[in-house]
């Protein structure tokens, strides 16, 4: 398990998982409400899966911002969703809070904690050992 | 519209030159934008934000002056009002003006490969009849055609011996990205053994059942009765096949087409495997 790391304040990223009903609406609502009440800057995206599917360049922007805490779903899924868009997350500087199996209070406590606890699965740090995606982004865009 | 057109991003600006808004208004604005599929950045000075990129922006705020403090609109920036009741419509207008992609046009259901687990065995490529998988220049498996994937169908993840294929919007682990346990791996292997016992070709099994069901429907005169029967059969078939959606089963190509596609996929997989460097023990 990675150790918590002191350093610059992490950026905050929230995924609304807009196109599926797999995250509890109550958890999402509570997390987003507190984020909006916090006066902290944050990024909120409708659906990280959709961004990954179309290799959205904003994933590179989000992954290159330094330390980051992401309120979304499973760390393993997040690691490879970003990688699939050729935008690998920093392995030692990413903490994923899982709104699918953590309570809103647990997610919020970690999100607003001064500590960053990196929790992406260890393994191949970047895409160096994995194929760089040459896939076309989804064509189902108008 | 080009596929790589950049999506619009909306920035909620509450810094110098604009007044801060109350938390309820901020939440209402963010919610309205997310539900219409727009990414939102809430700007501030306390923590870093991801750096700017070439994404077209709509910057909304409650401006102290009539003109926003940072000046006129540029080619990639439009200014608006941080009004929760109109902010999503403003975003729609800016999106249209920039010809940015329309979000939410496709439900994002597609496989995501966990390369920490993948052994490049090509079973997924051999199995998928819809051309979702391919290989890169280095003969490594990759997802090449996301939008060929059948929504809600996790079948390829079930043939992966390493549980390396995820569908993040799937209901249960490890397919949804949850940690893979030893019991998960044993279960996956058991499924492959079961399919082998049943004839070694899951698609053949599904196709036969689907054909039998279709044949039965053809004999029905009453369309309502036929539909009811069809739904009953598909429900049963879906239960037998795991959680493969009935519409996927019914959209399987003809037996001849399946044979042709399966042969093509197998040949691609075999070629990719043959091109791999020999494994050292």
């Amino acid at each position: 398990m990675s150790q918590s790391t002191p350093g610059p304040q992490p950026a905050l990223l929230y995924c609304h998982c807009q196109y599926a009903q797999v995250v509890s609406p109550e958890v999402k609502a509570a997390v987003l409400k507190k984020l909006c009440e916090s006066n902290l800057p944050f990024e909120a995206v409708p659906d990280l899966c959709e961004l990954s599917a179309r290799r959205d360049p904003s994933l590179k922007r989000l992954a290159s911002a330094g330390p980051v805490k992401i309120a979304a779903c499973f760390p393993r899924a997040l690691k490879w969703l970003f990688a699939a868009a050729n935008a690998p997350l920093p392995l030692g500087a990413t903490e994923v809070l899982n709104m699918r199996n953590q309570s809103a209070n647990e997610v919020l406590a970690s999100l607003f904690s001064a500590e960053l606890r990196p929790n992406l699965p260890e393994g191949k740090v970047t895409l160096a050992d994995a194929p760089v995606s040459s896939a076309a982004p989804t064509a189902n865009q108008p | 519209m080009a596929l790589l057109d950049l999506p619009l991003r909306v920035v909620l600006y509450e810094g110098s030159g604009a007044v801060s808004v109350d938390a309820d208004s901020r939440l209402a604005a963010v919610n309205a934008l997310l539900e219409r599929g727009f990414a939102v950045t809430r700007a501030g000075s306390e923590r870093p934000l991801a750096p700017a990129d070439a994404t077209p922006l709509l910057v909304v705020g409650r401006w102290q002056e009539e003109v926003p403090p940072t000046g006129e609109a540029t080619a990639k920036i439009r200014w608006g009002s941080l009004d929760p009741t109109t902010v999503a419509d403003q975003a729609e207008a800016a999106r249209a003006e920039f010809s940015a992609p329309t979000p939410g046009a496709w439900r994002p259901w597609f496989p995501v490969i966990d390369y920490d687990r993948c052994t490049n065995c090509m079973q997924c490529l051999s199995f998928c009849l819809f051309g979702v998988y391919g290989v890169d220049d280095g003969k490594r498996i990759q997802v090449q055609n996301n939008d060929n994937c059948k929504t809600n169908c996790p079948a390829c993840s079930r043939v992966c011996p390493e549980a390396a294929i995820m569908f993040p919007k799937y209901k249960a682990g490890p397919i949804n990205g949850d940690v893979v346990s030893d019991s998960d791996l044993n279960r996956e292997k058991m499924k492959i053994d079961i399919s082998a016992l049943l004839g070694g070709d899951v698609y053949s099994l599904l196709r036969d059942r689907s054909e039998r069901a279709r044949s039965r429907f053809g004999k029905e005169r009453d369309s309502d009765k036929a539909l009811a029967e069809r739904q009953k059969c598909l429900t049963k078939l879906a239960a037998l096949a795991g959680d493969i959606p009935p519409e996927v089963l019914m959209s399987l190509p003809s037996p001849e087409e399946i044979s042709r596609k399966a042969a093509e996929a197998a040949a691609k997989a075999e070629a990719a495997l043959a091109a791999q460097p020999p494994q050292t023990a």
Side-chain angles (χ1 to χ4, degrees):
Chain A
M1 178 65 71
S2 303
Q3 299 296 309
S4 61
T5 50
Q9 291 271 38
L12 304 178
L13 170 60
Y14 164 88
C15 173
H16 201 53
C17 196
Q18 172 71 9
Y19 305 120
Q21 308 299 320
V22 294
V23 177
S24 154
E26 291 78 20
V27 173
K28 285 196 301 184
V31 171
L32 190 56
K33 183 171 188 286
K34 290 293 181 188
L35 260 180
C36 288
E37 288 172 354
S38 72
N39 272 327
L40 293 171
F42 62 87
E43 302 272 354
V45 297
D47 199 300
L48 282 170
C49 287
E50 191 205 27
L51 298 183
S52 173
R54 66 178 184 210
R55 318 285 191 261
D56 191 305
S58 65
L59 290 180
K60 278 191 179 168
R61 178 176 60 81
L62 295 166
S64 65
V68 61
K69 293 188 182 192
I70 306 175
C73 58
F74 294 97
R76 188 166 73 101
L78 265 286
K79 175 177 178 177
W80 293 108
L81 275 171
F82 274 77
N86 297 330
L89 286 164
L91 190 65
T94 302
E95 180 176 357
V96 178
L97 295 323
N98 188 344
M99 295 192 290
R100 285 185 75 161
N101 67 2
Q102 289 182 286
S103 70
N105 284 341
E106 288 170 331
V107 170
L108 288 163
S110 298
L111 206 57
F112 296 138
S113 160
E115 280 185 310
L116 178 79
R117 295 185 176 86
N119 64 348
L120 288 183
E122 292 176 6
K124 295 161 191 164
V125 176
T126 68
L127 289 182
D129 296 318
V132 172
S133 176
S134 59
T138 179
N140 280 315
Q141 299 294 320
Chain B
M1 181 182 302
L3 288 172
L4 288 175
D5 281 350
L6 295 168
L8 179 78
R9 180 159 59 112
V10 181
V11 178
L12 269 55
Y13 180 81
E14 297 178 61
S16 173
V19 294
S20 197
V21 299
D22 61 279
D24 287 345
S25 296
R26 195 180 296 137
L27 176 62
V30 173
N31 255 325
L33 289 164
L34 290 175
E35 282 168 15
R36 300 270 278 269
F38 293 103
V40 183
T41 297
R42 199 246 155 183
S45 56
E46 297 88 349
R47 290 194 191 197
L49 283 170
D53 56 16
T55 308
L57 299 178
L58 170 67
V59 183
V60 294
R62 289 191 181 165
W63 312 109
Q64 291 172 331
E65 308 288 337
E66 275 190 27
V67 179
T70 35
E72 73 265 23
T74 70
K76 285 284 191 180
I77 301 179
R78 294 293 177 271
W79 305 94
S81 163
L82 208 173
D83 175 352
T85 62
T86 65
V87 72
D89 289 336
Q90 294 176 61
E92 290 286 6
R95 184 197 62 72
E97 190 182 344
F98 286 123
S99 297
T102 305
W106 170 67
R107 189 185 176 208
W109 178 272
F110 58 101
V112 178
I113 299 174
D114 176 347
Y115 287 102
D116 286 338
R117 305 194 63 85
C118 175
T119 60
N120 215 31
C121 72
M122 303 291 163
Q123 290 209 36
C124 49
L125 191 153
S126 301
F127 180 79
C128 178
L129 290 172
F130 303 106
V132 172
Y133 294 95
V135 292
D136 68 358
D137 291 343
K139 304 297 180 192
R140 288 294 306 265
I141 190 74
Q142 64 176 189
V143 177
Q144 287 189 338
N145 297 296
N146 285 329
D147 49 347
N148 280 8
C149 194
K150 302 297 177 188
T151 301
N152 293 333
C153 177
C156 57
S157 66
R158 298 197 174 282
V159 302
C160 177
E162 298 297 331
I165 298 175
M166 298 175 281
F167 287 85
K169 297 201 184 304
Y170 187 70
K171 61 190 173 195
I175 295 173
N176 61 10
D178 202 351
V179 173
V180 181
S181 67
D182 287 346
S183 63
D184 289 324
L185 286 178
N186 290 335
R187 201 163 67 220
E188 296 300 319
K189 281 175 183 162
M190 184 177 281
K191 276 175 190 157
I192 289 171
D193 292 345
I194 288 170
S195 75
L197 285 172
L198 290 172
D201 183 348
V202 174
Y203 272 107
S204 169
L205 178 73
L206 298 178
R207 183 198 65 218
D208 290 348
R209 286 180 176 157
S210 185
E211 286 299 311
R212 281 204 296 274
R214 280 183 176 138
S215 168
R216 274 184 79 179
F217 308 143
K219 290 172 187 163
E220 294 284 353
R221 289 184 179 176
D222 180 331
S223 60
D224 287 344
K225 196 174 169 190
L227 182 61
E229 184 63 24
R230 180 185 191 130
Q231 284 168 339
K232 189 176 156 193
C233 286
L234 287 174
T235 304
K236 198 185 287 182
L237 185 55
L240 284 169
D243 44 15
I244 301 169
E247 57 270 28
V248 173
L249 299 178
M250 290 308 285
S251 70
L252 286 177
S254 68
E256 294 74 24
E257 185 74 352
I258 287 178
S259 297
R260 189 182 63 75
K261 287 191 170 189
E264 278 179 10
K268 270 170 78 176
E270 203 162 311
L273 284 171
Q276 285 177 20
Q279 300 288 314
T280 52

